[in-house]
Each structure stands twice: as structure tokens, then as C-alpha cells.
Amino acid sequence: ASLARTMNIPALIGIDFSEDVDGKMGIVDGYEGKLIVDPPVSVLETYQKKKAEDEEKKRLLQELKGKENITLDGTKINLYANIGSVADVASVLANDAGGIGLFRSEFLYLESSDYPTEEEQFQAYRKVAESMAGKKVIIRTLDIGADKQVDYFDLDKEDNPAMGYRAIRICLTRKEIFKTQLRALYRASYYGTIAIMFPMITSVWEVQEIKRICRNIRAELAEEGVPMADKVELGIMIETPAVMVSEDLAKEVDFFSVGTNDLTQYTLAIDRQNPKLDAFYNSHHPAILKMLQMIVDNGHKGGCWVGICGELGADTTLTETFLKMGFDELSVSPSMILKVRQKIRETRL
């Protein structure tokens, strides 16, 4: 779903076909969540008209390129893009994003038949950093596990993988994998403005251990004479009820980025992979909105900036709410940049 959004491809998930549709014409309606098989001429004409209207809206949005993300009364916010591969940078630039708020580095692992080497990772991160020409690039360390399985990691089958051995838990127990990625990231930092973000953080001790490893990696590279950026921001994903200790976490890092997809899943006790629970999955739930406000308040109190990189960041019905809450940054699919910019520029707080 994330890849489809990034590539701006209409998509439906979890359809149960009750008939043979092979070879038949179909209309994928990503707005309404419908697949229309063998549409009659009248329906086809209606959708062709809708498509033309959609293309015209996209054309008009192009006029917002180069404009600031600023409300009618002068409130500014950073608007960045989420990507899953080096190739996605073209879409980031085409849609005029201010930076990259989430580079899902696990796709380097998912697309490989073996652990990507330090050099392979370095070249990928360097290319993204150079392509963004000084704009901020936030790279999330690998988030393998749960719904993203890789054979060569040889992970055990788990009854509840979403709450199991994944993301930072793998990195902190298989430290050679983690160190290889960190070395590549710090090397690439010399070629642009790279920040590093760590997923699935639930406690202060995890952050302190990560920082210790980062210090050691920097010392190793310095001893080898490898050039690095003088300052690389370190941040964490806030995506679990560890929200409740976010004031303490904020003192340890430079920024928070809220993963609203997992935050909703863990707060509402709803498996987001289970289509039977769609009716109960509510990212606008009052508990989620209260947590978002708490994250902003605690982050700012601890001296770090706060953004959203989950899908909720692109929900324009909440853009004004996020601005009022005090979020510093929103990171969305490249195709949503101009749409969110339009909403920001139409808002008066």
C-alpha cells in the first residue's frame, strides 16, 4: 500500500473475487475502494470524466510548486516526502518536497538475496543525499520483521509478529547488521544533510544504547580517516504507547517522527493486517489525537522538533488540527505534497 501511494497508483487490497475476472476489463476506483468488472459504456464514460477531472486538479496543483508551506496567518511547517527506494527521489523532486522525512531503508534488504554490504548501502544513501542537494534526508534504520519478512534473516515464525522480534529489537541483538548500516549512513552523511531515525523505540535504555553504538561507529570511522558530517541528527519513531514516556525520550534525541500507522494499531489493539477489523480501525480516535498532542508537547518540552511520517500526515481533514497542535513537520507520499501544501495555504489558525 505504501509503495502504491508513493508511485501514485490506484490500488485496492483484500478483494475477494466471486467470479472469474481473468482477461476482463476493470476499473480500479481507489477513492471509493471498488473494482468494477466489465463496466457498461455509461459507467466507463462516467469514470473517464472523473479521470479527466482528476488530471485537471493535478495540473492546477502544479502552480503551487515553489510556494511556501505557510498558513494565511503566517504559520510555517516543513513538508517532506516518504520514499521506499532510491528511484523514488525523482518523484520527491518532481513534487517539490522540502526534504525526505522517511526513507524506508529496509527495501535495500527486501530487494536483495543477501545482507546488503556497507558499500552497497553507502552508495544508495549517498545518491539520495546528493540528489537532494542539501535538503534534509531522514533515513530510518531497517524495520524488518512483522509484515516485512526477509528469508536470509532466518527469523523464527511468531504467533504475533507485529509485537515480536522486529526493527530496533533485531538491530540491538544482531549488532553487526546494525553497525554495518550505521557505518554506511555516517559515511554518506558527508555528501548531504542526512539524519538517522530509529523505529519501534519503547524505552530510554534503547536510545542510550543506540547512542553508545553511534559514538563508537563515529570514533572508528574517524580513526580510519573517513570523512563524515560534523553533526548528524538522531531521532526516533514514536509509534507505540511509549508516548507516555516521550518527555524522557525527548531529552535523548534531536527529533520525534510519529508513525501513526503502528501507533493506531498498538493503541487500539487492532491488527492492521486483518481486513475483518477495518470497521474498528479509526486513526481519528480521540485516544490517538490526545497522544499526538502529548507527543508534540513533550517533544518541545525536551528540546526536540516533532513531525509525522505515518499515513495520517496526508489526511487533509486533519491538517489544520496538526498545525494547531504545533507539529513542525509533515512527511507524506510524494504525490500528496502539493495537495497538503494547498490545504496549509488555505488554512487560517
Side-chain angles (χ1 to χ4, degrees):
S2 295
L3 284 171
R5 287 190 187 94
T6 298
M7 299 170 73
N8 202 26
I9 297 173
L12 300 176
I13 290 175
I15 294 178
D16 182 14
F17 291 111
S18 56
E19 59 178 297
D20 181 12
V21 298
D22 285 351
K24 296 182 180 179
M25 180 183 183
I27 297 173
V28 177
D29 185 340
Y31 288 113
E32 299 292 332
K34 294 189 297 189
L35 173 66
I36 303 167
V37 180
D38 270 347
V41 173
S42 60
V43 173
L44 184 59
E45 289 175 347
T46 297
Y47 272 90
Q48 286 172 335
K49 184 179 178 182
K50 283 184 178 180
K51 184 180 179 183
E53 290 171 351
D54 206 43
E55 292 298 326
E56 176 61 12
K57 287 178 183 176
K58 288 177 185 175
R59 188 190 68 76
L60 291 172
L61 284 173
Q62 299 302 305
E63 297 175 8
L64 290 173
K65 288 184 178 179
K67 301 288 180 66
E68 285 191 294
N69 310 304
I70 186 169
T71 63
L72 294 171
D73 50 333
T75 300
K76 293 183 181 181
I77 190 166
N78 288 319
L79 189 54
Y80 294 167
N82 298 336
I83 66 170
S85 72
V86 176
D88 293 337
V89 174
S91 185
V92 174
L93 297 173
N95 287 282
D96 195 36
I100 294 173
L102 170 62
F103 178 10
R104 302 179 180 92
S105 70
E106 58 270 15
F107 287 100
L108 292 171
Y109 297 79
L110 290 164
E111 293 170 355
S112 177
S113 58
D114 201 352
Y115 296 103
T117 65
E118 177 184 324
E119 187 63 24
E120 288 170 338
Q121 293 189 62
F122 163 67
Q123 293 296 342
Y125 305 144
R126 174 179 174 173
K127 187 171 183 179
V128 172
E130 289 181 330
S131 298
M132 292 304 294
K135 292 181 177 178
K136 186 172 289 185
V137 177
I138 301 174
I139 301 176
R140 180 176 71 187
T141 56
L142 70 99
D143 189 3
I144 292 297
D147 56 333
K148 295 187 282 288
Q149 295 292 321
V150 180
D151 288 344
Y152 58 84
F153 271 71
D154 197 25
L155 300 177
D156 294 333
K157 183 173 175 54
E158 297 177 297
D159 291 333
N160 194 350
M163 294 188 180
Y165 188 53
R166 59 173 290 199
I168 203 64
R169 297 165 183 177
I170 293 176
C171 290
L172 290 179
T173 52
R174 298 190 185 183
K175 289 182 179 173
E176 288 312 307
I177 297 173
F178 194 33
K179 289 175 180 177
T180 297
Q181 181 170 35
L182 288 172
R183 282 180 60 91
L185 286 166
Y186 276 112
R187 286 174 61 194
S189 71
Y190 183 72
Y191 300 92
T193 307
I194 283 179
I196 307 174
M197 179 163 67
F198 306 96
M200 277 295 288
I201 297 298
T202 60
S203 59
V204 171
W205 78 262
E206 292 168 333
V207 180
Q208 291 174 340
E209 177 63 7
I210 289 166
K211 288 166 68 178
R212 185 190 68 79
I213 295 170
C214 287
R215 285 194 298 271
N216 290 343
I217 293 295
R218 285 191 71 104
E220 282 178 14
L221 291 170
E223 191 174 329
E224 295 168 19
V226 177
M228 297 170 282
D230 293 334
K231 167 69 176 174
V232 175
E233 284 190 328
L234 300 181
I236 60 174
M237 297 276 288
I238 300 290
E239 50 191 337
T240 75
V243 170
M244 305 309 292
V245 293
S246 54
E247 185 173 353
D248 297 321
L249 290 167
K251 297 170 185 174
E252 299 288 336
V253 296
D254 298 301
F255 66 93
F256 287 162
S257 192
V258 185
T260 53
N261 308 351
D262 270 337
L263 181 63
T264 303
Q265 170 175 244
Y266 294 129
T267 302
L268 302 185
I270 287 176
D271 179 1
R272 61 190 176 103
Q273 300 292 315
N274 188 339
K276 293 180 180 178
L277 300 178
D278 284 352
F280 300 93
Y281 187 92
N282 176 16
S283 55
H284 291 212
H285 192 287
I288 302 299
L289 298 180
K290 286 183 179 181
M291 282 187 166
L292 292 175
Q293 185 65 72
M294 184 183 294
I295 293 166
V296 174
D297 293 344
N298 286 344
H300 288 168
K301 195 182 300 181
C304 68
W305 62 265
V306 186
I308 294 177
C309 65
E311 295 297 339
L312 202 60
D315 186 340
T316 54
T317 67
L318 286 175
T319 302
E320 182 177 340
T321 299
F322 296 148
L323 289 163
K324 287 180 176 176
M325 285 179 174
F327 277 97
D328 304 293
E329 175 249 13
L330 297 175
S331 190
V332 301
S333 295
S335 60
M336 287 298 296
I337 290 288
L338 296 178
K339 209 171 278 187
V340 175
R341 177 175 295 166
Q342 180 183 44
K343 182 64 178 178
I344 292 169
R345 292 176 61 85
E346 292 173 351
T347 298
R348 185 181 300 278
L349 299 180

